[in-house]
Amino acid sequence: YMTLKNTKKVIFFILINLLLSSSFLFCNTEIDSSSKKIDFSTLLENYKKNNRDYQILELQLQQATNSYKETLIENGINLSFSSGRMGAEFADSSTKINLSPEVNVSSSKLNNTSLSMNLPLDFDISKEGEFSSEIKGASLMLSTDIFSDISKQKKITLEKANRKVIESQRSLKKGEIKIYSSFLQELRSLYSSALAVTQAENSLIEKQLDFDTIKAKGYATSSAKYRTANLEVESAKRTVKEKERLYNSALAIFASKCSVKVNQLDLSFVIPEVELLSIRSFSKEDFESLEKAKWNYHINSETRKLNTDFSLSAQAGYGFSIQDDSYLDSAQAGLTMKMKGLSVSATTAIPINQNSNPSISLGIGWNPSTSKLDNLSYQNNEIQDKIEKLEIQDAEENFFDTVLKMNETYNNLEWETEQNLEQFNLYQELENDMKNWYSKGIISESEYRQSKINLENAKVKLAITKIDRIIYNNDLSMLFVETQGEANEN
């Protein structure tokens, strides 16, 4: 091994020790010792802040919440005021002013009940200052549904709006988990790239040792064995440079996504250790696709149950006029019925303080197409009901398939963790022994360096396994929903 004392040996020794130091995962650039290193949680937080998809999900949640508030307002008690018609007429002898203010109160919760009042006012002001007023056609009207599905429709509308908020909350949470997994995937890729560099360096050392042995044996430079060994060394060098280039490029991209400088990255930080979640600890009813299929069936079934074939509403009102010294008033009442394309309305007016006869009006309408359309709609509703039940069955089958798949992944990860930990402990013990043997001259320098490379490779494999465990937990948790603490209909 005396030939290793040449310049090449020195270069290789420096490269390997750089790679095997505590900072072997750094980019091969000069590191400023004053630069503050960034820990795992800070990198993750910066990575999340720079992710536009997460920002969009946050805004979409705000939109859904605002839409739900709008629905609550629209389906509550509505009070409106209006000045109505306002006008003025200027004559030589007087000025006439007319107003028609209106007030309306309605509530869909109370059987679509509404109360409206209209008060037309006319004022006449003469040039001499005389003032007169009159009220023409003032009215107070109350209307309500005796039998209809308006209140049920409003309830379903609120439930759908609330569901959008819940789904937005779930999407935001799932988006955060996805970003975490994406961060871990990129970190995993970096560790794999670093592992590829050390493996390439290890291969280069082996090729160089073989080449030095051939030279030591006195093979001519023109011999096939000499030239083949030399080509293998040159090829190994190119491989090392290529792996280093790929690693440095990936490291720079990752640093940019985390809003840090390359010389602030220390990828030897401790990766969080997690206990693997078991799919058996989750409820089948919370399986996302099954929960969604059941909710769709529930809300659509409630919608299909609405009886739109028949409705009956009532109206009652009071009207009056005050003109000069006379006061005229009357009471009004009416009913409106709709059923399968047939509409019937009846209205009566009863004068109160004047010698007038009561009156009644009746209206009948029929649309023959409505009955046919209702029958077709009923058939389609039955078909849709069967489709949604089949979707629930598909989701249940998907759940059982997922249980088998996730259990297999769980077992593989547990085995892999155990194997990599055992391998790490073995290489750590071996590296300590090799260090002692090397100091006593029992083994060669290359053998000791190779043991250090094997130990670092075991460290990286163990780190990758830790990442795989977190990603597994993330993937599993995204398959289920949390029904506690979500938006409600209050």
Side-chain angles (χ1 to χ4, degrees):
Y1 296 99
M2 293 300 294
T3 56
L4 292 176
K5 295 183 179 179
N6 57 23
T7 305
K8 289 184 178 180
K9 176 208 167 184
V10 175
I11 294 174
F12 296 146
F13 181 78
I14 292 173
L15 283 172
I16 292 302
N17 278 277
L18 282 172
L19 288 167
L20 297 178
S21 65
S22 60
S23 59
F24 87 102
L25 290 174
F26 286 171
C27 171
N28 290 337
T29 56
E30 184 179 355
I31 299 175
D32 183 5
S33 60
S34 64
S35 297
K36 182 181 178 181
K37 299 300 181 283
I38 308 299
D39 59 15
F40 179 88
S41 59
T42 303
L43 285 174
L44 174 59
E45 189 63 28
N46 290 349
Y47 186 90
K48 185 171 72 174
K49 287 179 180 178
N50 291 332
N51 190 287
R52 292 186 180 89
D53 291 338
Y54 184 77
Q55 296 174 18
I56 291 174
L57 289 172
E58 286 182 316
L59 295 174
Q60 287 176 342
L61 175 58
Q62 293 178 18
Q63 279 184 328
T65 303
N66 290 337
S67 296
Y68 179 64
K69 291 178 180 178
E70 288 177 356
T71 305
L72 286 176
I73 294 173
E74 291 171 353
N75 290 277
I77 296 177
N78 295 321
L79 177 63
S80 63
F81 301 91
S82 173
S83 64
R85 173 182 53 83
M86 300 177 64
E89 181 181 343
F90 302 98
D92 294 336
S93 59
S94 64
T95 300
K96 294 182 179 181
I97 301 174
N98 49 71
L99 304 172
S100 184
E102 297 178 0
V103 179
N104 183 273
V105 181
S106 63
S107 173
S108 59
K109 290 184 178 180
L110 302 175
N111 291 330
N112 207 29
T113 300
S114 67
L115 177 65
S116 60
M117 183 180 68
N118 183 29
L119 188 64
L121 299 171
D122 288 344
F123 301 99
D124 194 346
I125 305 174
S126 66
K127 289 187 176 181
E128 289 76 18
E130 295 180 356
F131 177 84
S132 63
S133 63
E134 59 183 22
I135 301 175
K136 295 180 179 180
S139 64
L140 183 66
M141 181 64 68
L142 175 68
S143 65
T144 186
D145 290 338
I146 299 175
F147 184 88
S148 74
D149 290 320
I150 293 295
S151 59
K152 293 180 180 179
Q153 290 176 356
K154 299 302 181 183
K155 182 180 178 181
I156 291 175
T157 300
L158 284 173
E159 194 171 352
K160 288 181 177 179
N162 183 59
R163 177 71 181 191
K164 287 184 178 180
V165 177
I166 291 175
E167 290 180 346
S168 294
Q169 290 173 339
R170 292 175 180 175
S171 295
L172 182 63
K173 183 175 181 180
K174 185 183 288 188
E176 189 170 4
I177 296 174
K178 285 181 178 179
I179 291 170
Y180 187 19
S181 294
S182 176
F183 170 82
L184 291 171
Q185 290 286 8
E186 295 204 32
L187 187 59
R188 188 185 192 281
S189 179
L190 279 177
Y191 280 118
S192 297
S193 295
L195 187 61
V197 172
T198 59
Q199 290 173 343
E201 290 286 356
N202 193 23
S203 177
L204 175 58
I205 290 176
E206 292 175 353
K207 298 298 182 183
Q208 184 64 49
L209 288 175
D210 292 341
F211 184 45
D212 289 340
T213 301
I214 289 174
K215 290 192 292 184
K217 289 181 179 180
Y219 280 91
T221 57
S222 59
S223 65
K225 198 170 187 64
Y226 184 98
R227 286 184 296 171
T228 299
N230 187 34
L231 287 174
E232 289 179 350
V233 170
E234 294 301 321
S235 176
K237 287 180 181 179
R238 287 193 297 271
T239 300
V240 169
K241 290 181 179 179
E242 177 64 17
K243 298 300 181 183
E244 288 176 345
R245 184 186 66 80
L246 293 174
Y247 171 70
N248 291 338
S249 176
L251 191 65
I253 294 173
F254 183 73
S256 175
K257 291 182 178 180
C258 297
S259 299
V260 296
K261 298 179 180 179
V262 173
N263 61 358
Q264 290 180 298
L265 279 178
D266 183 355
L267 300 185
S268 61
F269 47 62
V270 177
I271 296 174
E273 295 188 22
V274 297
E275 290 292 331
L276 287 183
L277 299 175
S278 172
I279 195 170
R280 295 185 180 89
S281 63
F282 292 85
S283 170
K284 172 186 172 183
E285 299 303 314
D286 291 334
F287 189 60
E288 184 182 38
S289 59
L290 179 59
E291 190 271 346
K292 186 174 182 180
K294 287 187 174 182
W295 187 88
N296 286 337
Y297 179 72
H298 155 72
I299 199 68
N300 292 335
S301 295
E302 292 298 315
T303 303
R304 288 190 288 266
K305 288 177 184 177
L306 295 177
N307 183 8
T308 57
D309 292 340
F310 177 78
S311 66
L312 180 64
S313 59
Q315 304 85 36
Y318 174 75
F320 65 92
S321 297
I322 302 175
Q323 189 172 8
D324 297 331
D325 294 331
S326 63
Y327 181 82
L328 304 175
D329 60 348
S330 63
Q332 297 178 354
L335 287 174
T336 301
M337 182 195 73
K338 294 181 180 180
M339 183 178 66
K340 293 186 177 296
L342 177 66
S343 62
V344 179
S345 62
T347 305
T348 181
I350 304 174
I352 296 177
N353 64 351
Q354 66 263 20
N355 296 322
S356 299
N357 297 320
S359 62
I360 186 171
S361 61
L362 184 68
I364 299 176
W366 180 56
N367 187 343
S369 299
T370 302
S371 179
K372 295 179 180 179
L373 291 173
D374 288 343
N375 289 332
L376 290 173
S377 178
Y378 178 79
Q379 294 176 19
N380 284 335
N381 285 341
E382 285 190 325
I383 293 172
Q384 185 62 31
D385 186 88
K386 293 178 181 179
I387 291 174
E388 290 169 4
K389 287 180 178 178
L390 290 173
E391 289 175 346
I392 292 176
Q393 293 177 13
D394 286 341
E396 288 178 338
E397 291 180 3
N398 184 27
F399 171 76
F400 292 116
D401 292 341
T402 303
V403 169
L404 295 176
K405 177 182 176 182
M406 298 308 290
N407 278 336
E408 183 179 0
T409 305
Y410 175 93
N411 293 332
N412 290 339
L413 279 173
E414 287 285 56
W415 178 85
E416 185 179 329
T417 302
E418 183 180 351
Q419 292 296 313
N420 286 339
L421 185 59
E422 182 180 344
Q423 189 179 55
F424 170 75
N425 292 331
L426 176 64
Y427 280 120
Q428 190 173 44
E429 182 180 352
L430 181 60
E431 193 270 343
N432 290 331
D433 292 339
M434 297 287 273
K435 182 179 181 180
N436 184 37
W437 296 338
Y438 174 64
S439 64
K440 294 179 180 180
I442 299 176
I443 63 171
S444 65
E445 180 183 345
S446 60
E447 290 175 306
Y448 171 56
R449 290 205 304 265
Q450 203 160 28
S451 70
K452 293 183 71 175
I453 290 177
N454 290 334
L455 176 60
E456 292 302 328
N457 287 346
K459 285 181 181 179
V460 174
K461 289 179 180 179
L462 194 58
I464 290 175
T465 301
K466 289 181 180 180
I467 291 174
D468 289 340
R469 290 171 70 92
I470 300 174
I471 292 175
Y472 161 83
N473 281 355
N474 289 347
D475 291 342
L476 180 58
S477 63
M478 284 193 294
L479 294 175
F480 295 85
V481 298
E482 291 183 7
T483 55
Q484 299 296 327
E486 293 182 323
N488 56 67
E489 298 177 40
N490 296 326

